[in-house]
Amino acid sequence: MAAKAKCDAVLMIGFGGPTRADEVRPFLDNVLGGRPIPRERYEEVVHHYDLLGGRSPYNDLTTQQAKALREALAKKAARVPVAVGMRNWEPYVANAMRTLADCGARRVLGFIMAAHRSEASFDRYQATVEDARKALGEAAPEVVYPQPWHDHPLFTTAVASRAREALSRLDPPERSRARLIFTAHSIPLAMAQAGPYVEQLTQSARIVAADLGIDSWQFAYQSRSGSPRDAWLEPDIKDTLRNLDAKSAVVMPIGFLCDHVEVLYDLDIEAAQVARDAGIRMERAPTVGDHPLFIEMMASIVAAHAG
């Protein structure tokens, strides 16, 4: 029933990121929410941001996606307001919801910026939205969510297009021998077993590989955190590269929608160094970002809910 409800606004819901060096530590504290973490690991992550200019491009990139979505909706004559709200940094979900409520929105399409669903990538975002709604009380708009879109042809075609960009940087003989490796954020094994995350990632990767005409491909995980004693999804991308039986690889971060710090550091710096040490030429494909087909997919989903 929710999928058929007419929406009068859109809320793009993202993770968020620090925009200046002095925001990095408060941002990390927000993300941790009081959970204990070894101090050396905390400082290591701060250093990742230092290496990348003391900020994350996440908010800027999500704002670009929102701008592109507004333009695509205007072309469809679906003139619904598009707001951006983040779980862990400004602009916060609560503030975005309040703005939409003040503008008269009564039913909002919550577009969580993650294609593959798990507790960490989907459920927690819904909980943040519910907290914002409770704070607004009777003024709170209803929030509905689209059906899973990890296998939407416009999304998978956009991913394949990005992968082709990386493949095109290889000479034809090398291209035919290169290994295609998809990556996504690792999560605890217990969390993965409780939801469709791995199944959806595998479905997306299979469709993209078929689009590329590639029969043999691999999946690896990245950006693991948490206690080393806990089981998380494997193999790690670094181990995959160390054990690769090829001299070139195209790494496609299919589990991410923009080139934020976990892509820029974990792949472009850390994994790239492992590849160099192993004598492997690694080409990292861009994330979908504001690829026209991905934006068109978002616009078509919004239009279906608003029309």
Side-chain angles (χ1 to χ4, degrees), residues 30-276:
N30 267 2
V31 173
L32 290 170
R35 295 189 301 273
I37 183 174
R39 197 66 201 176
E40 59 271 19
R41 174 58 182 164
Y42 185 97
E43 295 302 330
E44 181 184 335
V45 175
V46 171
H47 182 56
H48 296 175
Y49 283 92
D50 290 342
L51 291 174
L52 296 166
R55 67 188 306 275
S56 168
Y58 187 99
N59 289 18
D60 291 342
L61 294 172
T62 306
T63 298
Q64 290 175 22
Q65 291 170 320
K67 179 176 181 292
L69 175 59
R70 292 185 191 101
E71 293 170 352
L73 288 172
K75 292 177 182 177
K76 292 178 178 293
R79 298 186 180 277
V80 292
V82 176
V84 174
M86 304 296 185
R87 276 192 69 222
N88 298 294
W89 203 246
E90 298 174 354
Y92 287 109
V93 165
N95 295 336
M97 285 285 290
R98 186 176 299 108
T99 298
L100 289 175
D102 290 345
C103 292
R106 299 309 306 148
R107 186 175 289 112
V108 174
L109 178 65
F111 203 104
I112 296 171
M113 299 302 290
H116 309 96
R117 299 186 176 185
S118 70
E119 178 194 334
S121 64
F122 197 78
D123 298 1
R124 292 176 188 173
Y125 290 79
Q126 289 183 310
T128 298
V129 170
E130 281 307 301
D131 288 344
R133 292 187 69 246
K134 288 176 183 175
L136 285 170
E138 293 183 359
E142 178 187 0
V143 180
V144 298
Y145 300 91
Q147 293 298 306
W149 44 268
H150 64 281
D151 57 352
H152 194 292
L154 291 175
F155 171 66
T156 57
T157 305
V159 175
S161 173
R162 296 303 200 198
R164 283 193 184 90
E165 292 180 40
L167 283 163
S168 70
R169 295 195 288 270
L170 301 174
D171 294 330
E174 190 176 24
R175 194 179 309 155
S176 64
R177 295 190 294 268
R179 293 288 185 270
L180 175 62
I181 307 171
F182 295 97
T183 71
H185 205 300
S186 184
I187 61 174
L189 197 56
M191 185 189 297
Q193 292 170 341
Y197 187 66
V198 173
E199 179 185 2
Q200 290 181 350
L201 285 166
T202 303
Q203 289 173 346
S204 296
R206 186 180 296 118
I207 295 168
V208 171
D211 191 331
L212 296 169
I214 295 175
D215 297 326
S216 179
W217 50 273
Q218 297 170 250
F219 211 104
Y221 295 92
Q222 61 172 92
S223 311
R224 177 194 165 131
S225 59
S227 170
R229 295 186 299 274
D230 298 332
W232 282 54
L233 287 174
E234 296 179 340
D236 183 83
I237 180 60
K238 298 186 292 295
D239 294 332
T240 297
L241 290 167
R242 290 187 187 104
N243 298 318
L244 201 67
D245 60 345
K247 291 299 182 184
S248 56
V250 167
V251 176
M252 175 68 242
I254 197 170
F256 302 89
L257 299 183
C258 66
D259 286 12
H260 53 70
V261 168
E262 287 178 318
V263 174
L264 298 174
Y265 180 82
D266 295 351
L267 292 183
D268 294 356
I269 294 178
E270 195 171 53
Q273 184 60 56
V274 170
R276 285 192 293 272

Side-chain angles (χ1 to χ4, degrees), residues 18 21-30 39 42-43 46 50:
D22 62 351
E23 295 177 349
V24 171
R25 292 174 188 275
F27 165 76
L28 293 177
D29 294 339
N30 267 2
R39 197 66 201 176
Y42 185 97
E43 295 302 330
V46 171
D50 290 342

